[in-house]
Amino acid sequence: MLALHDRIRASVMDACARQASEQLATVAADDGEAGDTIYAIDRVSEEALVQGLAEPARKEPLCIVAEGLPDNALVLPRGAREDDCRWRLLIDPIDGTRGLMYQKRSAWILTGVAPNRGAGTRLRDIVLAVQTEIPLLKQHLSDQLWALRGTGMTARRFDRLAGTKTPLTLRPSRADTIAHGFATVVRFFPGARDVLAAIDDEIVETLVAPAPGKAACFEDQYASTGGELYELMAGHDRWIADLRPLVRKGGLCCHPYDLCTSLIAEEAGVILTDPAGAPVDAPFDVTSDVAWVGYANARLRTAIEPVLQGALGRRGLL
């Protein structure tokens, strides 16, 4: 799986080096309802994905669930049946397409592997997850993280100039307050931003005493769920809430494949829940809307969760 991610990263970076942003940002597919818009750069990663899985699938059939594939699913090798597959893969070949295609910010390759339970497979069935950074062209370092359930997280940093890979230690924040730290309510797409911002302000004003002329905390609207999870794991962010499905039905929201590497964050010590406080879970697909909340540690959860749930409850969202 690590080699597959390396292959996709190399293919996408090569395309970024050879083509202008306007070419990579061309809309390749948009069904108007289910799923996200597919851009030209996404097609590069999808091709590398299918080619990279062809060889291992000859040894053992694989069921692949990913946006951009016909019917968002594919069984390899060709001709094999879904029932023949022991493993089911949920993949986002590029999470953070928009930032990467305009060379604004790194994107991520996300993969979660679960025992194949057919249509009943869920996110919490994932036993192996890998996420790999696709860096900007001007950036020579990129990180790769993976986890087997129950064994903790492993990470390494790739230097594409030197061709070296070195071990990397990441640790979530141990802070017990959001004051002077990054704390974000996701609202990076149009629609319901007023409601989301009001929830954000209410939480911050409750948790941090206001000081004239001072910023109580900061936010980072990183348009990549995998990237947001990385920021929590790396100790950069203390709390993130993606509440879009609660406030804007039918809008562009987080989907299960965006969260297919949540296992890595949990193995690193990040706490991931739904807005009601239950462990985050969802169908093993690319279309269901998912709301989630991430806390860097248990003390932050204790402080923030009641305030968040109170703000949602007063608005009839919980």
Side-chain angles (χ1 to χ4, degrees):
M1 199 59 64
L2 298 179
L4 171 66
H5 277 221
D6 290 346
R7 177 177 185 153
I8 296 172
R9 176 175 56 193
S11 296
V12 172
M13 292 200 68
D14 180 64
C16 289
R18 290 185 293 102
Q19 301 180 51
S21 293
E22 288 77 9
Q23 292 175 287
L24 297 172
T26 301
V27 174
D30 191 348
D31 63 16
E33 293 183 7
D36 200 353
T37 302
I38 304 296
Y39 294 95
I41 191 174
D42 292 309
R43 292 303 191 204
V44 176
S45 64
E46 291 158 11
E47 182 178 345
L49 167 67
V50 174
Q51 291 177 351
L53 286 174
E55 182 59 33
R58 291 190 186 98
K59 301 175 183 177
E60 181 168 15
L62 299 171
C63 180
I64 305 157
V65 179
E67 196 167 58
L69 300 177
D71 298 320
N72 295 322
L74 176 67
V75 176
L76 291 176
R78 308 280 183 177
R81 301 176 306 162
E82 184 176 331
D83 291 345
D84 297 330
C85 302
R86 187 159 61 112
W87 301 106
R88 200 172 187 90
L89 282 63
L90 185 58
I91 302 176
D92 190 347
I94 305 182
D95 179 35
T97 297
R98 293 162 178 83
L100 183 67
M101 68 191 185
Y102 286 113
Q103 289 296 295
K104 291 175 67 68
R105 196 160 186 181
S106 292
W108 294 83
I109 307 160
L110 310 178
T111 300
V113 181
N116 181 22
R117 297 189 170 100
T121 312
R122 298 186 63 83
L123 275 184
R124 299 209 69 80
D125 292 323
I126 290 174
V127 295
L128 167 67
V130 181
Q131 74 174 70
T132 300
E133 184 178 9
I134 307 175
L136 304 181
L137 291 175
K138 66 180 181 180
Q139 177 183 336
H140 72 285
L141 300 176
S142 61
D143 294 349
Q144 187 171 62
L145 299 71
W146 64 94
L148 281 167
R149 185 171 295 280
T151 65
M153 177 198 70
T154 304
R156 66 186 182 187
R157 178 159 288 169
F158 173 58
D159 184 328
R160 65 189 181 97
L161 298 182
T164 57
K165 297 174 180 177
T166 56
L168 176 66
T169 299
L170 299 175
R171 187 181 69 186
S173 172
R174 296 181 178 179
D176 59 5
T177 174
I178 61 172
H180 304 291
F182 279 90
T184 301
V185 173
V186 171
R187 52 182 183 277
F188 37 67
F189 295 132
R193 283 175 170 162
D194 55 340
V195 179
L196 293 167
I199 293 170
D200 190 357
D201 283 346
E202 180 177 335
I203 292 169
V204 172
E205 290 166 5
T206 301
L207 294 175
V208 183
K214 304 292 184 180
C217 59
F218 330 115
E219 68 173 12
D220 180 10
Q221 297 293 337
Y222 191 173
S224 163
T225 301
E228 291 174 317
L229 294 178
Y230 174 85
E231 297 300 311
L232 285 167
M233 288 184 273
H236 301 161
D237 289 15
R238 299 181 187 177
W239 172 71
I240 299 172
D242 190 339
L243 310 172
R244 288 174 289 166
L246 303 184
V247 301
R248 190 167 187 250
K249 305 297 183 183
L252 180 54
C253 297
C254 177
H255 298 132
Y257 72 135
D258 297 310
L259 280 167
C260 69
T261 60
S262 57
L263 171 65
I264 305 175
E266 291 177 332
E267 290 290 327
V270 173
I271 300 168
L272 297 175
T273 74
D274 65 17
V280 68
D281 195 16
F284 208 82
D285 65 33
V286 302
T287 56
S288 298
D289 291 343
V290 187
W292 64 275
V293 185
Y295 306 92
N297 60 60
R299 289 181 298 174
L300 284 169
R301 179 185 183 181
T302 298
I304 299 167
E305 188 173 66
V307 181
L308 167 64
Q309 292 177 351
L312 294 175
R314 280 186 287 278
R315 292 168 173 81
L317 300 174
L318 190 64

